[in-house]
Amino acid sequence: MPYIQLKNLNKTFGKNHVLKNISMDIEKGQFVTLLGPSGCGKSTLLRCIAGLEDVTSGTILLGSEDITHKSAKNRKIGMVFQQYSLFPNMNVYDNIAFGLKMKKIDKKEIEKKARDAIAMVGLEGKENEYPSHLSGGQQQRVALARSIVTEPKVLLLDEPLSAIDAKLRKSLQSEIKKIQSQLGITTIFVTHDQNEAMVMSDIIHLFNNGTIEQSGSPVSMYTSPSTKFAASFIGHYNILTMEEFSTLVGCDFEKMQEKLIAIRPEVLDISLKPFERDEKTYQFTGIVVDNIPHGNVLRYTIDVNGVKLRSDVLFRSFRLFENGTPVYLCVEKRNCLILSDNSAAEIVSSGCRNLASATEGF
Ligand code: ADP
Ligand code: MG
């Protein structure tokens, strides 16, 4: 049985229907991420799970217990917010030990647990510092230690790294992941950053306007988006109408006029010479119209009879193709994905298909 079950959760604020029939199963020890643009309801869902907000309808089960109407302090759920929200008048040690002191447990035990948590987040030596003297990253370590020290059943993290600069953010991502797996604590993490979701999660739930658009492992979310929204939010997919796609490959997909085709930039190969003929691929020609370095990747834009395509190539050499260069392009048929209409209901029943399987017999 799943450890956490959300069943048909709805939340409205006045006329604003913020969570629309959200259902989700989470296994014990899993690291689950709610990914989505700002305003789509991620924090609201987290706050409902924590008991900081009442749901309008639906059920929340933790273990086999119905906690839907339990008070926040009796749910045994820890939460870390984007804004560090530490007690400014308490030092690091007291901030971390606060939750334990509230429980009125033995003083020695409090001290042991607080020291363990401090060590776990790497803050030894900072016990007597006050929050105003700590960096953002250190403050977030305190917030993390403060929430794990009480050994909650579930850890909720609401964009905990959003206010932290890029480099430190990467190292905190891997630290959070390490602590989570050491403790084996079931964790729900919120972010609007697809890369962060990819590196941290066992399962990603992509949110769109109060509904779950698509769920899956990072790899499946990246390689098999089901809808236009998913393909544009995760990765930098080329999204083509069937008419544009027919222009590229020179076939007519009459039966699928309404569908969209998604192609990842890194599966589109470029060459100055023709590719070897292979019936598993589509091959066509175009002209390079733009090239931009993105760190270790060069992103080309190629014009194919008026259709613009992005192609990503690892930046292993000097610039390979100047603007204006005629090039040959090749893409495996199975990497041309058919997107469903933009409705979450359809995805569940149909899943994602690729063009190679959908056009068998064409
Ligand atoms: P996210 O975390 O994905 O950015 P939120 O859950 O914070 O999104 O917000 C989703 C929607 O709910 C927004 O339209 C927001 O204005 C609204 N909302 C959130 N909290 C409240 C509240 N306490 N009262 C009224 N509306 C709210
Ligand atoms: Mg939020």
Side-chain angles (χ1 to χ4, degrees):
M1 200 175 88
Y3 191 53
I4 303 173
Q5 287 176 276
L6 310 182
K7 293 185 179 173
N8 304 104
L9 294 189
N10 283 281
K11 175 69 185 173
T12 53
F13 290 109
K15 285 188 183 152
N16 191 0
H17 196 168
V18 173
L19 297 177
K20 298 166 188 159
N21 242 11
I22 298 287
S23 293
M24 188 185 291
D25 288 346
I26 298 174
E27 301 298 330
K28 195 162 188 180
Q30 252 180 353
F31 194 110
V32 169
T33 294
L34 315 181
L35 171 67
S38 177
C40 67
K42 308 180 296 296
S43 295
T44 302
L45 179 57
L46 225 52
R47 292 171 60 79
C48 287
I49 297 170
L52 301 173
E53 205 75 73
D54 283 331
V55 293
T56 308
S57 66
T59 312
I60 303 172
L61 299 178
L62 176 55
S64 49
E65 189 189 359
D66 184 341
I67 59 162
T68 318
H69 302 292
K70 240 183 164 177
S71 73
K73 69 177 185 349
N74 292 325
R75 289 192 187 196
K76 300 210 171 86
I77 291 179
M79 188 151 171
V80 175
F81 302 88
Q82 179 181 338
Q83 54 293 27
Y84 317 120
S85 49
L86 302 175
F87 302 115
N89 56 336
M90 289 185 197
N91 65 20
V92 167
Y93 180 89
D94 288 335
N95 261 287
I96 292 171
F98 180 81
L100 296 171
K101 286 181 183 163
M102 288 289 104
K103 289 186 166 184
K104 301 195 171 59
I105 52 177
D106 178 71
K107 209 174 164 197
K108 280 228 166 68
E109 204 182 333
I110 292 180
E111 195 167 327
K112 177 170 186 327
K113 286 186 176 183
R115 301 263 168 235
D116 286 350
I118 287 167
M120 190 158 251
V121 299
L123 280 175
E124 294 112 321
K126 299 277 179 204
E127 289 86 346
N128 296 321
E129 300 274 353
Y130 282 81
S132 58
H133 291 141
L134 300 176
S135 68
Q138 289 169 333
Q139 291 190 52
Q140 213 49 319
R141 287 168 199 266
V142 178
L144 184 62
R146 193 177 59 174
S147 53
I148 58 177
V149 77
T150 54
E151 296 163 23
K153 291 180 172 175
V154 181
L155 180 61
L156 306 178
L157 303 165
D158 192 357
E159 310 227 18
L161 306 178
S162 294
I164 290 166
D165 64 77
K167 196 162 174 216
L168 183 58
R169 191 169 170 164
K170 289 226 159 55
S171 72
L172 283 172
Q173 283 170 359
S174 52
E175 275 187 58
I176 289 179
K177 193 66 195 141
K178 203 171 94 197
I179 292 169
Q180 186 268 339
S181 65
Q182 262 174 22
L183 295 174
I185 188 168
T186 312
T187 299
I188 309 178
F189 183 87
V190 163
T191 182
H192 61 268
D193 178 337
Q194 57 126 339
N195 289 326
E196 190 160 274
M198 291 281 166
V199 291
M200 310 274 300
S201 322
D202 297 318
I203 300 286
I204 297 173
H205 296 280
L206 178 63
F207 270 64
N208 180 14
N209 195 16
T211 61
I212 299 176
E213 181 88 5
Q214 188 176 347
S215 304
S217 69
V219 169
S220 76
M221 295 293 279
Y222 191 71
T223 56
S224 309
S226 300
T227 63
K228 186 179 178 189
F229 177 84
S232 18
F233 203 85
I234 299 181
H236 297 90
Y237 276 81
N238 292 291
I239 298 174
L240 307 172
T241 62
M242 210 33 117
E243 197 183 338
E244 288 171 325
F245 187 68
S246 300
T247 309
L248 294 188
V249 300
C251 321
D252 195 4
F253 298 94
E254 222 176 83
K255 288 185 192 159
M256 295 191 285
Q257 281 307 333
E258 304 302 307
K259 302 284 185 188
L260 296 170
I261 297 287
I263 303 171
R264 285 207 312 285
E266 61 270 30
V267 299
L268 191 59
D269 289 333
I270 317 182
S271 170
L272 290 171
K273 296 188 205 134
F275 289 88
E276 231 172 80
R277 291 206 70 75
D278 176 354
E279 63 181 33
K280 290 190 182 131
T281 64
Y282 291 115
Q283 301 184 8
F284 37 94
T285 55
I287 308 244
V288 175
V289 291
D290 199 13
N291 58 78
I292 299 174
H294 285 257
N296 60 343
V297 161
L298 258 172
R299 174 159 299 165
Y300 292 103
T301 307
I302 296 138
D303 186 310
V304 182
N305 295 327
V307 179
K308 300 276 195 303
L309 291 175
R310 285 186 303 274
S311 167
D312 285 352
V313 176
L314 254 186
F315 206 162
R316 296 169 65 162
S317 167
F318 294 102
R319 181 162 296 164
L320 301 174
F321 310 109
E322 295 297 336
N323 292 352
T325 311
V327 286
Y328 292 87
L329 296 155
C330 179
V331 57
E332 283 189 53
K333 290 182 181 176
R334 61 177 184 170
N335 280 326
C336 303
L337 308 176
I338 302 172
L339 301 179
S340 319
D341 295 342
N342 216 356
S343 89
E346 190 182 330
I347 303 155
V348 176
S349 57
S350 74
C352 176
R353 292 190 303 172
N354 65 48
L355 203 59
S357 60
T359 56
E360 262 165 39
F362 262 62

